[in-house]
């Protein structure tokens, strides 16, 4: 068994006494509850298009996930804020409806909601039922930029988050704040549809790659502090990134020669589709598109720009009618595989026909049983991705949190801030975010502004630490896998209570997961019913019509 985290157990039973010491093994835990009826949800087979075969409560404090294929990064996926655990009875009584569960919240996290009224800040206070170390901050007010002037949020705010790239410079120059950059979990890229000529020719894609100046695009058009993508995995992920690998250097002569060797027709027009509105990652997409057009014109390629509204853009991309397109995506967990999983497996239709070689290499990465073995597989995957050029990675966009200088102990991970560990001069802090959450139950949401609040109200089995601390236990205090990485077992903490007084058990974990995974569940409601991030993490639902 592969041991990811271990604990010392001393269990005393009525008849037998078994002492478990160190990390040599972990037995099934005694529930102490003879009335516990364990739940199990499973797929009929692995042909439905998802990663999970079954999730089951082994006993009251043990949950096992059985997978359809090996996944060395499975614990990292469980850190996603959508993986919040809810009391089964509460989930059933509210039928998994996110809006109903926002009106009457029930969590295990360090904070609880005191007020949540439209046009007013959301106020959180420390939860009296929290199982962990109480936070030093006792009250947090969440405000939103649309309801405040620049003066208000910079004069009254203690933490400023999710700032548009255009507004970064004045905040960075404000000596009252210190900026901390999050590890970048996103990518701006130029995509190709390999079903459409001439993008079905790898030499054409390579020729275009030689002409695109990624560093110029990143430095001139992405937020301050963004990182040029010299490969698909960003530099902070040491496992997954190949240190010796770099992308195609800009070489216009080589670009032309490569295209000519592919018999490229320079009289044709190449279309470039893009979303004609700003986002948190790209402030002026039209400027980037115009720069790409100019760079390709330098080697004789005529580009026709296709500015589209978001809904129309998505339709064009999913229907495969755009030769080339400018887009972004967010990797959903802190592992190199996350930057491959979405484009190669979950949203492969965007790029035309699957790249089967790359898919098999990604599966090999996830089946490797050690960090060193994974890196060897990653090195091959990274090189072959460069050779095949399914798309051109442009840059990893910097996203910042700014802390007033009266706050100490501030740190960030890829998405969040360590509010639980802050040491402010007062016990109340004022936080400014970009968008007010629509709901405060996270399973069917996609917005980090929402998750920055919900992660304080609800706990996941595992959490991403701050700085370089890696994975940390949360509701699960240990977890193990089998040698094949196809079974992951999580051991829950004892004596954890929800704010409604219910005790945490393994059925709560199964029910929370099934509400997203099982389309036939009465709790498969959420807010939109799409459960987008769940699909990006694990693939399709079971029992879907």
């Amino acid at each position: 068994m592969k041991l990811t985290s271990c604990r010392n157990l001393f269990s005393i039973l009525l008849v037998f006494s078994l002492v478990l010491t160190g990390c040599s093994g972990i037995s099934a835990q005694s529930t102490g509850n003879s009335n516990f009826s364990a739940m199990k949800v499973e797929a009929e087979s692995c042909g439905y298009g998802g990663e999970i075969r079954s999730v089951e409560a082994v006993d009251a404090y043990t949950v096992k996930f059985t997978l359809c294929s090996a996944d060395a990064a499975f614990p990292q996926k469980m850190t996603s804020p959508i993986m919040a655990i809810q009391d089964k009875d509460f989930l059933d009584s509210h039928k998994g409806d996110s809006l109903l569960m926002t009106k009457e919240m029930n969590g295990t996290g360090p904070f609880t909601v005191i007020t949540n009224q439209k046009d007013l800040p959301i106020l959180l206070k420390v939860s009296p039922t929290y199982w962990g170390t109480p936070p030093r901050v006792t009250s947090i007010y969440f405000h939103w930029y649309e309801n405040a002037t620049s003066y208000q949020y910079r004069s009254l705010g203690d933490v400023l988050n999710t700032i548009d790239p255009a507004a970064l410079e004045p905040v960075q120059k404000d000596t009252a704040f210190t900026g901390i950059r999050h590890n970048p979990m996103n990518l701006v890229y130029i995509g190709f549809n390999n079903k459409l000529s001439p993008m079905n020719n790898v030499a054409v894609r390579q020729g275009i790659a030689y002409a695109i100046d990624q560093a110029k695009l990143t430095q001139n058009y992405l937020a301050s502090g963004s990182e040029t993508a010299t490969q698909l995995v960003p530099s902070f992920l040491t496992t997954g990134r190949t240190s010796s690998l770099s992308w195609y250097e800009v070489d216009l002569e080589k670009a032309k020669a490569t295209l000519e060797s592919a018999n490229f027709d320079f009289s044709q027009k190449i279309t470039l589709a893009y979303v004609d509105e700003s986002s948190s990652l790209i402030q002026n997409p039209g400027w980037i598109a115009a720069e790409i057009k100019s760079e390709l014109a330098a080697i004789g390629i005529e580009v026709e720009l296709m500015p589209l509204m978001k809904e129309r853009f998505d339709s064009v991309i999913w229907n495969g009618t755009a030769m080339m397109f400018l887009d972004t995506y967010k990797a959903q967990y802190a592992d190199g595989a996350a930057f491959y999983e979405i484009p190669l497996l979950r949203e492969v239709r965007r790029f035309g026909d699957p790249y089967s070689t790359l898919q098999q290499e990604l599966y090999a990465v996830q089946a490797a049983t050690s960090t060193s073995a994974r890196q060897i597989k990653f090195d091959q995957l990274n090189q072959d991705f460069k050779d095949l050029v399914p798309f051109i990675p442009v840059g990893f966009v910097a996203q910042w949190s700014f802390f007033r200088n009266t706050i100490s102990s501030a740190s960030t991970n890829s998405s969040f801030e360590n509010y639980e560990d802050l040491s402010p001069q007062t016990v109340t802090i004022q936080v400014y975010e970009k968008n007010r959450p629509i709901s405060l139950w996270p399973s069917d949401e996609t917005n980090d502004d929402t998750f920055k609040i919900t992660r304080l109200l609800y706990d996941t089995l595992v959490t991403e630490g701050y700085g370089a601390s890696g994975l940390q236990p949360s509701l699960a205090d240990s977890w193990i896998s089998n040698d094949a990485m196809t079974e992951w077992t999580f051991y829950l903490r004892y004596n954890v209570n929800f704010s409604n007084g219910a005790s945490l058990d393994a059925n709560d974990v199964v029910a929370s997961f099934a509400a997203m995974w099982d389309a036939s569940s009465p709790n498969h409601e959420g807010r939109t019913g799409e459960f987008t991030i769940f699909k990006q993490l694990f693939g399709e639902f079971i029992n879907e019509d």
Side-chain angles (χ1 to χ4, degrees):
M1 302 291 278
K2 179 180 170 107
L3 183 58
T4 308
S5 177
C6 59
R7 59 184 173 182
N8 297 327
L9 271 191
F10 293 91
S11 296
I12 301 176
L13 305 179
L14 291 175
V15 180
F16 299 103
S17 176
L18 175 63
V19 178
L20 301 177
T21 60
C23 301
S24 59
I26 301 178
S27 71
Q29 302 175 52
S30 171
T31 67
N33 181 0
S34 60
N35 295 322
F36 181 77
S37 179
M39 288 180 60
K40 180 177 182 180
V41 181
E42 62 184 333
E44 291 186 4
S45 72
C46 285
Y48 73 98
E51 177 177 324
I52 311 298
R53 180 62 192 268
S54 67
V55 54
E56 61 182 303
V58 177
D59 59 42
Y61 293 99
T62 308
V63 182
K64 183 171 75 172
F65 292 84
T66 301
L67 312 183
C68 292
S69 59
D71 191 348
F74 188 77
Q76 282 84 348
K77 293 183 178 183
M78 303 306 282
T79 67
S80 171
I82 72 158
M83 302 306 297
I85 306 304
Q86 181 56 267
D87 171 48
K88 178 185 180 300
D89 291 340
F90 185 90
L91 195 63
D92 291 343
S93 65
H94 291 74
K95 300 187 184 302
D97 187 311
S98 296
L99 298 182
L100 291 178
M101 295 168 72
T102 297
K103 292 179 180 178
E104 182 186 0
M105 284 170 280
N106 179 48
T108 60
F111 290 87
T112 188
V113 175
I114 301 301
T115 59
N116 179 19
Q117 299 177 25
K118 186 179 179 180
D119 298 327
L120 293 176
I122 292 178
L123 171 59
L124 308 187
K125 285 189 175 291
V126 172
S127 172
T129 61
Y130 182 49
W131 53 268
T133 302
R136 298 168 183 173
V137 173
T138 60
S139 301
I140 305 177
Y141 285 90
F142 283 90
H143 307 260
W144 288 272
Y145 294 128
E146 66 259 27
N147 295 326
T149 66
S150 174
Y151 170 78
Q152 285 177 312
Y153 76 73
R154 290 175 63 191
S155 63
L156 301 177
D158 296 302
V159 185
L160 313 178
N161 289 322
T162 326
I163 298 174
D164 282 328
L168 267 180
E169 187 174 353
V171 178
Q172 288 175 322
K173 290 181 177 179
D174 193 329
T175 57
F177 290 90
T178 298
I180 302 180
R181 188 178 66 172
H182 294 267
N183 293 327
M185 291 293 292
N186 59 68
L187 181 69
V188 176
Y189 68 92
I190 302 168
F192 304 109
N193 189 311
N194 65 18
K195 286 186 175 182
L196 300 179
S197 178
M199 301 310 174
N200 57 346
N201 189 328
V202 63
V204 171
R205 301 195 299 268
Q206 290 171 342
I208 292 173
Y210 279 118
I212 297 298
D213 190 338
Q214 301 152 284
K216 183 177 181 180
L217 293 174
T218 300
Q219 293 163 13
N220 291 356
Y221 302 107
L222 301 185
S224 172
S226 296
E227 175 187 341
T228 301
T230 58
Q231 55 186 282
L232 197 59
V233 179
S235 59
F236 84 92
L237 287 172
T238 53
T239 299
R241 184 177 175 88
T242 301
S243 59
S244 60
L245 183 67
S246 59
W247 196 249
Y248 299 82
E249 292 185 8
V250 177
D251 187 329
L252 300 187
E253 290 186 3
K254 202 165 188 176
K256 289 180 181 179
T258 303
L259 290 169
E260 288 168 354
S261 71
N263 296 317
F264 182 79
D265 179 4
F266 285 92
S267 67
Q268 67 185 313
K269 283 186 178 181
I270 301 298
T271 58
L272 175 65
Y274 64 94
V275 177
D276 193 24
E277 54 188 275
S278 64
S279 69
S280 61
L281 297 182
I282 303 180
Q283 184 69 17
N284 294 293
W287 294 3
I288 300 181
E291 176 63 31
I292 294 169
K293 177 177 180 176
S294 175
E295 291 179 0
L296 293 183
I299 60 170
I301 295 179
E302 183 179 0
V303 174
E304 180 182 349
L305 299 183
M306 293 176 56
L308 303 169
M309 298 307 291
K310 183 68 169 66
E311 185 176 350
R312 175 61 179 158
F313 175 85
D314 289 340
S315 174
V316 165
I317 299 307
W318 284 109
N319 290 334
T321 57
M323 292 183 188
M324 193 163 62
F325 53 96
L326 174 67
D327 203 7
T328 67
Y329 67 84
K330 178 182 177 183
Q332 296 297 343
Y333 55 99
D335 187 88
F339 282 85
Y340 281 102
E341 196 169 55
I342 288 178
L344 294 186
L345 299 180
R346 309 305 183 207
E347 298 182 1
V348 65
R349 278 178 48 205
R350 300 168 71 85
F351 305 97
D353 290 326
Y355 290 87
S356 57
T357 297
L358 299 181
Q359 289 178 334
Q360 293 308 309
E361 290 176 350
L362 177 57
Y363 289 132
V365 162
Q366 294 298 62
T369 58
S370 70
T371 299
S372 59
R374 288 189 87 212
Q375 189 58 53
I376 292 171
K377 302 294 185 183
F378 264 122
D379 291 344
Q380 184 66 56
L381 175 59
N382 292 338
Q383 182 62 59
D384 287 347
F385 178 88
K386 176 184 176 180
D387 293 343
L388 290 172
V389 201
F391 53 91
I392 298 174
V394 172
F396 307 105
V397 181
Q399 295 182 297
W400 296 80
S401 291
F402 293 88
F403 297 85
R404 190 170 291 279
N405 293 336
T406 54
I407 291 176
S408 60
S409 306
S411 185
T412 63
N413 57 26
S414 59
S415 300
F416 305 120
E417 304 74 25
N418 63 334
Y419 293 127
E420 306 93 317
D421 301 321
L422 293 181
S423 298
Q425 292 180 354
T426 64
V427 294
T428 298
I429 61 172
Q430 311 286 335
V431 178
Y432 278 84
E433 301 282 1
K434 185 178 180 182
N435 299 302
R436 186 185 184 101
I438 298 174
S439 87
L440 290 177
W441 173 243
S443 68
D444 192 21
E445 302 299 331
T446 59
N447 193 300
D448 272 350
D449 288 348
T450 299
F451 298 148
K452 285 174 186 287
I453 297 178
T454 62
R455 73 156 201 92
L456 299 170
L457 309 176
Y458 308 99
D459 293 312
T460 51
L461 295 178
V462 186
T463 189
E464 180 188 355
Y466 295 93
S469 57
L471 290 181
Q472 299 294 314
S474 186
L475 291 182
D477 63 7
S478 63
W479 54 94
I480 59 175
S481 78
N482 64 351
D483 290 340
M485 302 272 188
T486 56
E487 292 181 358
W488 286 91
T489 303
F490 295 82
Y491 299 93
L492 304 184
R493 293 183 185 275
Y494 299 109
N495 302 318
V496 173
N497 292 318
F498 293 88
S499 53
N500 69 352
S503 298
L504 172 73
D505 65 34
N507 281 346
D508 299 323
V509 178
V510 176
S512 297
F513 193 89
M516 295 180 284
W517 181 41
D518 185 357
S520 69
S521 167
N523 296 331
H524 187 75
E525 181 69 24
R527 183 174 64 83
T528 68
E530 295 178 1
F531 299 94
T532 299
I533 293 181
F534 181 91
K535 284 193 167 186
Q536 290 179 342
L537 290 170
F538 303 111
E540 299 302 317
F541 305 138
I542 57 171
N543 300 319
E544 190 168 27
D545 294 335

